[in-house]
Each structure stands twice: as structure tokens, then as C-alpha cells.
Amino acid sequence: CERAAYYGTFIALRTYLIRAVGLDDIQAGIIAGMFGGWFYLVPFFTGAAAERMGFRKALMLAFGLLTVGYGTLGVFHTLGPVLVGLALIVLGGAFVKPVITGTVSKTSDTTNRARAFSIFYMVVNIGSFTGKTIVAPMRIQMGVETVPFFSAAASLLALVVVFFLFRPPEDLQSQPKSLKETLHSMWMAMSNLRFLALILITAGFWSIQGQLYASMPDYVLRMAGETYKPEWYANVNPLVVVLFVVAITHLVRNWKPQHSILVAMGMIPFSALSMASSAFLSNPVSVLGFDVHPITLMMVIGIAIQGLAECFLSPKYLEFASKQAPEGKEGAFLGFAHMNTFFAWLFGFVFSGYLLQTYCPEPTTLPAAVQAAHAAWLAGAGPMPETYAHAHWLWFAYTGIGVLSFVLMAVYVAVTERLDRDASA
């Protein structure tokens, strides 16, 4: 329920901020990036509070906050209340994450923990897939401002389930870390240059993957039309991961983790390049006898490449990140290994806002004549307006980021391997 609520709104958040709240592309990018980024930072601090409260009370508080937060987005469409609603969602989500992962960890043992977490990740993907599937027709038929109501309903359902069904063992809680201990661990990890460099370099990968939620939805609506469903395109990513992650994990089981990561980093530029290439195809494209919009075709291909790349990266990333830690500090470092997503979301969404405003602007912000020409072009009754002639350059920019990230990762691997050889000599 929580993942369905989150992804249902997150996939439409930029569009909501622009069309319902009245922000421009840059402003929407900044706010959406802060929202997505803080989701990966705040749980480090709410985890201790959840331990002290007890997991059941923490979950009830979390889903109460989420219900009110999403409901606020549905009811109010001015910036002040919307920012309050987003803050409540971040806070509520930050309680959910440590409670759920903590419950999985503490109610399983060494004989079934891997299976327990596989169930957890399966449910996460089910929620993500379901939320994005449901909100697409809602956005088309009732407007993007109605999407948060779905998320509020999903959160309320979760609250009811927790109230009636969730009864964790009394000994589930453990001794929580203090705020001082959390800050000390964060400083220790982030001040390690080798670890920080790995986080920043791999953030380039996730900044491209994050375009599923930053650039892709608005790009599709502006370049293909309002009836197209970018929410469904985004579902290709979890579908590919579910289908191929086991086989790819088996394939790379004997690889050095850095080599598997390099394969992923080498694949990710081709995702963005595929998305850009729709500009060079005829409209429509015949695929197995069916006419398909070139943006639909190349988005699906690009997103599928992202999913395959993620299968190479994710199983090995934490293993490699742990090896960057000083001996005995692996656990503390692993706790902050996903800070790459925090940096990726902040950068990716803000950069996306500038690129969209420059090369693929929101039609309603343009002069009436350009709006009319844009509508005629989408209807097949006129040429593409000059304003959108270079919209695909947005994806070339992310191709460049992917290439740079791959080169930096290759240099990083070469340097760290040499340092490790010298240290052991």
C-alpha cells in the first residue's frame, strides 16, 4: 500500500506541481527533487524514534501522516499547503521504511532471511507496479490533481490493516541508536573519500534511472499527447528486474563486484540514447504489424535497458561498497550506501527542470499561437513547432552524464585496485 501510494503520486508529481499548483519546470524540478531525495535521508533519523515508540505505533503514526499528507495534495493546490503535505509524506514514509525492513530482519533468521527479504522486494515491486497502473487512467479521465486521492486511500487502507492485523512480537524492538551516534556514523562514512567518491559516481547511474519520474512523464505528454501513459512505460523497469534479476545475479555470481558495476555503468548511457533516438524515427512505427508511436517504442526500449543495467548493479553494489569501509566499520558504511540516490534525485530532478524548460517546455506557458501549433502537431494536423525541435537533446544530456559516470567508475576501479595491491605488497 505504501509503495503504491508513493509511486502513484511520485510519477505524476512534477506534472501535478506544474498544472495544479502553477509552478514552472525549474521550480517543480527543485521541489520534486527535494521530496524524492529527503525520502532517502530522513529514515536514518526516524529509525531511532520508531524503535523507541514501538513498531506498531510507529506504523500507525506513519500511515496517519501519509493519509493526511496525500489528502492535503488532493484538496489544496496552492504552494504553502502543498509543501506541508509533501513534508508530511516524507516524514510518514521515513517511519515506514525502517519499521518494515526492521520487522523483516528481526522476524527471520539465517535459515530464511534471504527468502524473507525476497518476499519484501517482491511486494515492493507489486506496489510500485499497481500504483502507477491505476493512476494513469485517473490522470487522463479526471485530471492530475486527483492522483493524490488514490495515494491517500491506499495509505488509509494500510492504516486500517495495521490497526487490525499488525501485532509484532513484544521483543521486536532493539536498542536504538541515539541522534549523536547516527550523526557520528554519517560523518565517518561521508568523510571517507573512497566511499564518498563511489557514492557520487554511482549517483550518475541513478540520476538517469530517476528520469523515469523526472523528465519522462512530462516529455511523453508534451511530445506524444495527453492520452499516452508514461506511468505504464515506467512499469517496464520493475517488470524487467523481476524477470531477469535472478538469472543475471546467477551469471555474475563469481564476478568481482566492480566488474558487474562497470557493465551496468556502461549500459546506462544507451538507455538515454535510445530515448533520444525517437526523434529520428517515422511516426508511427510498425512493430509486429501494429502501429506504435516512436516515443512509446524508444521509451520502452530505453527503460528496459535501465532495468537490465540495474540487475547488474544492485546485487553487487552493496558488496563493493562494504569493501570501501575500514575494517570493522562495514555495517555503518552500508547504512549510508544508498546516499547515492539522495544525490541523484536532487541533481537529476533539478537538471531535468532546466532541460525541460529549455528544450521541451510546458505548452500552457507558451504564447497562444505556439500552443495552437503544438496542439495541431499532436493531432497530426501541422508541423512540429520550432520550440520543440530539439526536445530530444534532453536525453543527449543524460547520455553524456552516463558516459562520464562510466569513465569515472573505470578510473575509480583502476585506482582503488592499484592502491589495494600496493597496501598488500
Side-chain angles (χ1 to χ4, degrees), residues 196-324:
L196 181 60
L198 176 66
I199 285 175
L200 293 177
I201 292 170
T202 54
F205 176 98
W206 292 109
S207 69
I208 297 174
Q209 201 270 357
Q211 296 313 302
L212 290 182
Y213 306 97
S215 298
M216 190 273 291
D218 285 320
Y219 182 87
V220 170
L221 297 180
R222 297 171 190 182
M223 298 299 293
E226 295 293 324
T227 59
Y228 287 79
K229 299 180 178 68
E231 300 91 343
W232 291 10
Y233 302 170
N235 275 337
V236 171
N237 182 276
L239 178 62
V240 168
V241 171
V242 168
L243 291 176
F244 293 102
V245 69
V246 173
I248 292 176
T249 300
H250 181 74
L251 173 68
V252 303
R253 66 191 184 282
N254 295 323
W255 292 18
K256 290 183 177 180
Q258 57 267 41
H259 295 164
S260 183
I261 293 171
L262 273 174
V263 169
M265 301 293 279
M267 293 174 66
I268 200 67
F270 291 98
S271 168
L273 190 62
S274 298
M275 295 175 178
S277 65
S278 63
F280 307 106
L281 299 178
S282 59
N283 190 6
V285 180
S286 179
V287 178
L288 300 177
F290 296 95
D291 289 338
V292 179
H293 197 289
I295 287 180
T296 298
L297 176 64
M298 299 317 298
M299 285 294 162
V300 168
I301 291 174
I303 293 167
I305 293 172
Q306 286 185 13
L308 289 172
E310 191 174 334
C311 292
F312 280 93
L313 180 77
S314 295
K316 293 289 190 175
Y317 171 70
L318 290 179
E319 178 185 348
F320 188 57
S322 68
K323 294 181 178 180
Q324 313 311 303

Side-chain angles (χ1 to χ4, degrees), residues 35 73 116 129 168 294 392:
F35 172 79
L73 300 189
F129 194 96
H392 60 288

